[in-house]
Amino acid sequence: MAPGAVIARPGWVRQLKAAAYRLHPDPRPRLPAHEFSALVELSERIPGWTRGREAFELANVSYLLPNHATIVEVGSFLGSSSLLLAGARQLRGNGLVHCVDPFDASGDPYSAPHYRNIAAELSATLRQQFDNNIRGAGLARYVTVHEGTAELVALQWDRPIDFLFLDGDHSPEGARLAFRCWTPFLNRGGIIALHNSAKRHYARGHDGFRRLVLGELHEPEFHGVYCVGTTTFATKQ
């Protein structure tokens, strides 16, 4: 998670849908605008940092995946972006989002204090509040939680992935470790998304995913790289 939320403004849903069609004028099913609006509204009730255009794109990429898609989100916090991913799969009627997080408010030196401040205001633990948020949205059947660090959970992982969303430890070391642990499981033609990776100034030790974009998301391993908001997407060759 990357502190610094962008709040969606009224009217964005219609504009984003039109813009998305201009960018991707293909006959594949796209996330219905009214359903997207409901997902974003639910997501924005939960503390998080995926908002506006990138919230739309995250949900839409999830929605466009094949039937029974396997999605892995590394760094789930309280479930704001998890809800976007799982809600889109609920609309498709299948698929599963695997949420990987230690639920201990850990992270890079810039982010961790923000996490701890939010956690201190809760009446439940981070894991309990995450579960409450997912259940409250009616998405429990589309979400499986793996409580632990990216590295430890990856050691027990054994299945291919269709969509990998990395949004955990944003330090250069943490981001690279998660990338190296999880990208071998990404299918050819699968999609990776790196949050907090747009071209901008970063606080010291908070630019891990930006470094990955510059150093790893290029041919021959990846193609079709594009950025929406602060999230960079690419397709594995």
Side-chain angles (χ1 to χ4, degrees):
M1 294 290 172
V6 178
I7 303 302
R9 299 192 297 272
W12 269 22
V13 172
R14 182 175 61 257
Q15 297 172 27
L16 293 173
K17 185 173 184 291
Y21 183 78
R22 289 195 297 272
L23 288 171
H24 307 284
D26 59 53
R28 296 178 298 171
R30 303 200 70 79
L31 189 62
H34 67 286
E35 300 286 5
F36 163 70
S37 180
L39 279 180
V40 169
E41 183 177 332
L42 283 173
S43 175
E44 288 181 350
R45 296 176 186 174
I46 302 170
W49 294 272
T50 302
R51 300 290 190 248
R53 293 180 299 147
E54 57 195 309
F56 167 84
E57 187 66 12
L58 197 69
N60 198 59
V61 168
S62 176
Y63 185 78
L64 291 174
L65 294 171
N67 284 331
H68 307 291
T70 296
I71 301 168
V72 171
E73 176 189 48
V74 177
S76 301
F77 197 45
L78 294 175
S80 180
S81 54
S82 314
L83 190 152
L84 295 168
L85 297 167
R89 293 317 302 178
Q90 182 185 54
L91 293 173
R92 287 292 301 272
N94 57 64
L96 190 61
V97 181
H98 297 267
C99 296
V100 179
D101 199 298
F103 296 103
D104 60 1
S106 61
D108 66 271
Y110 177 82
S111 300
H114 294 274
Y115 304 156
R116 291 194 294 267
N117 288 340
I118 293 172
E121 297 179 358
L122 300 175
S123 59
T125 68
L126 287 174
R127 171 62 191 275
Q128 289 168 342
Q129 190 61 55
F130 174 91
D131 290 340
N132 291 341
N133 291 337
I134 295 300
R135 282 196 302 267
L139 296 172
R141 65 173 289 192
Y142 294 94
V143 172
T144 294
V145 176
H146 304 263
E147 187 167 352
T149 65
E151 181 182 18
L152 291 178
V153 176
L155 288 174
Q156 304 172 46
W157 190 265
D158 61 358
R159 71 200 80 171
I161 298 170
D162 298 297
F163 184 20
L164 175 61
F165 181 40
L166 295 183
D167 191 18
D169 185 343
H170 288 245
S171 70
E173 301 79 14
R176 183 168 295 279
L177 180 61
F179 183 87
R180 290 183 172 175
C181 286
W182 286 97
T183 52
F185 298 105
L186 189 61
N187 280 324
R188 291 183 62 183
I191 298 171
I192 186 171
L194 306 179
H195 192 218
N196 195 40
S197 60
K199 183 180 180 180
R200 67 175 180 85
H201 173 75
Y202 288 88
R204 183 179 179 86
H206 189 55
D207 61 347
F209 292 119
R210 178 60 184 167
R211 294 189 184 201
L212 288 177
V213 168
L214 296 175
E216 302 289 347
L217 292 194
H218 52 71
E219 295 185 346
E221 189 72 13
F222 295 95
H223 70 99
V225 180
Y226 68 98
C227 186
V228 178
T230 70
T231 301
T232 304
F233 297 82
T235 301
K236 188 173 182 180
Q237 297 267 46

